[in-house]
Amino acid sequence: MTGKRHKTAVVTGASSGIGAATAIRLAAEGFHVVLGARRVDRLEDLVQRCGGQALFLDVTDGESVARFAGAVEGVDVLVNNTGMAAGLTPVSELSEDAATTMWETNVMGLLRVTQALLGRIEASGEGHVVNVGSTAGFETYPGGGGYTASKHAVRAITQTLRKELLGKPVRITEIAPGLVETEFSMVRFGGDRRRADKVYEGITPLTAEDVADCIVWAVTRPPHVNVDEIVVRPLAQATATMVAREES
Ligand code: NAP
């Protein structure tokens, strides 16, 4: 092979929203992209558009993560983007099932994928782990107990990793978005389109591309520049609960 080696970026949760937009942008920057999610048909459609590799990945299943990691050769960049919320339920009523699903997906999933790939990321000599957290990683809101707990944990893991890897060639970044219009709210409300649409009513939310832009900006800084975190929200949002909505 002649010329510059294409760096490899692994993106989890690449079958929709922020992950899909990030995969397209990273591919446009010249990365070989490895895309993981459960809906492989969607990943394969994406590979038709931007090249790369589509692999089944269920981050809640250790064997699936091991198979996924085994199919990846070198890794330079890992975008831990997989995440979800289940419902908007007060802590007093939060079901064990919903809480566990969020924790297993958002926290343990991120941990499993990171552990499986970190050695190769470090060995690349210019590694980067980007964790997609949320403003829910440092704010709370009624009904968000399970989700905010998981995103607070993502933030804690991100900051811990940066300390543990100090002196090693691995950059660590957290991207913390506010309201982004993706499939997120449809998943949160179990496919209830009316409830999902209400989340974005009367505002111009962020798009998946807006967040991908932040991720790709952090990744494409020179290797000595560590963007610790980016908090990005729609102009109409000041906090999780303070949102300026226009009357329709
Ligand atoms: P999305 O459109 O629902 O995308 C979520 C992605 O995660 C999908 O590709 C989904 O793919 C994947 N995923 C879910 N469970 C998985 C599992 N067990 N194993 C592997 N992949 C799984 O939502 P999004 O808004 O782009 O979310 C991306 C990230 O941004 C999440 O971490 C979310 O918490 C965070 N975030 C979103 C917002 C927002 O307002 N949208 C705000 C702040 C932070 P499959 O279903 O095909 O597996």
Side-chain angles (χ1 to χ4, degrees):
M1 202 172 94
T2 55
K4 232 171 119 189
R5 176 179 77 90
H6 281 281
K7 288 189 171 183
T8 295
V10 171
V11 182
T12 70
S15 62
S16 77
I18 296 167
T22 301
I24 290 168
R25 285 289 314 276
L26 286 172
E29 291 288 335
F31 283 88
H32 170 70
V33 288
V34 180
L35 313 178
R38 294 165 302 180
R39 289 170 294 176
V40 181
D41 53 331
R42 295 246 201 138
L43 299 179
E44 281 164 353
D45 288 348
L46 205 53
V47 165
Q48 294 293 320
R49 290 176 60 192
C50 68
Q53 212 177 338
L55 296 172
F56 178 85
L57 171 66
D58 180 350
V59 300
T60 65
D61 173 358
E63 282 179 20
S64 171
V65 173
R67 265 196 306 276
F68 176 82
V72 181
E73 279 189 42
V75 190
D76 300 272
V77 176
L78 166 62
V79 182
N80 273 317
N81 165 74
T82 287
M84 51 81 73
L88 191 64
T89 319
V91 170
S92 57
E93 292 159 31
L94 181 61
S95 73
E96 190 160 331
D97 189 39
T100 304
T101 303
M102 288 186 272
W103 192 263
E104 271 295 315
T105 308
N106 301 351
V107 184
M108 295 309 298
L110 177 140
L111 205 55
R112 288 184 189 103
V113 176
T114 305
Q115 288 176 343
L117 297 177
L118 197 54
R120 276 168 277 171
I121 293 168
E122 189 183 332
S124 76
E126 286 185 6
H128 198 162
V129 177
V130 179
N131 289 339
V132 180
S134 169
T135 50
F138 53 86
E139 292 180 359
T140 57
Y141 53 89
Y147 182 65
T148 58
S150 74
K151 289 298 186 179
H152 275 64
V154 166
R155 187 167 179 76
I157 290 169
T158 308
Q159 295 185 356
T160 305
L161 257 185
R162 193 177 301 116
K163 290 170 181 153
E164 290 173 354
L165 295 175
L166 186 65
K168 301 205 165 135
V170 185
R171 296 186 285 164
I172 307 286
T173 299
E174 179 183 353
I175 306 291
L179 286 166
V180 193
E181 191 164 12
T182 61
E183 293 178 14
F184 180 83
S185 293
M186 281 291 278
V187 172
R188 169 169 240 169
F189 297 122
D192 184 335
R193 166 62 65 192
R194 200 187 51 81
R195 277 189 90 185
D197 286 348
K198 271 215 149 337
V199 174
Y200 313 108
E201 208 169 77
I203 63 160
T204 304
L206 296 177
T207 63
E209 290 72 22
D210 294 327
V211 182
D213 211 25
C214 296
I215 295 171
V216 173
W217 181 79
V219 168
T220 53
R221 292 316 85 207
H224 70 285
V225 178
N226 193 89
V227 179
D228 280 15
E229 59 189 59
I230 298 177
V231 178
V232 56
R233 308 182 202 249
L235 178 61
Q237 184 182 26
T239 71
T241 48
M242 286 181 70
V243 180
R245 296 187 193 272
E246 283 173 12
E247 305 270 331
S248 56

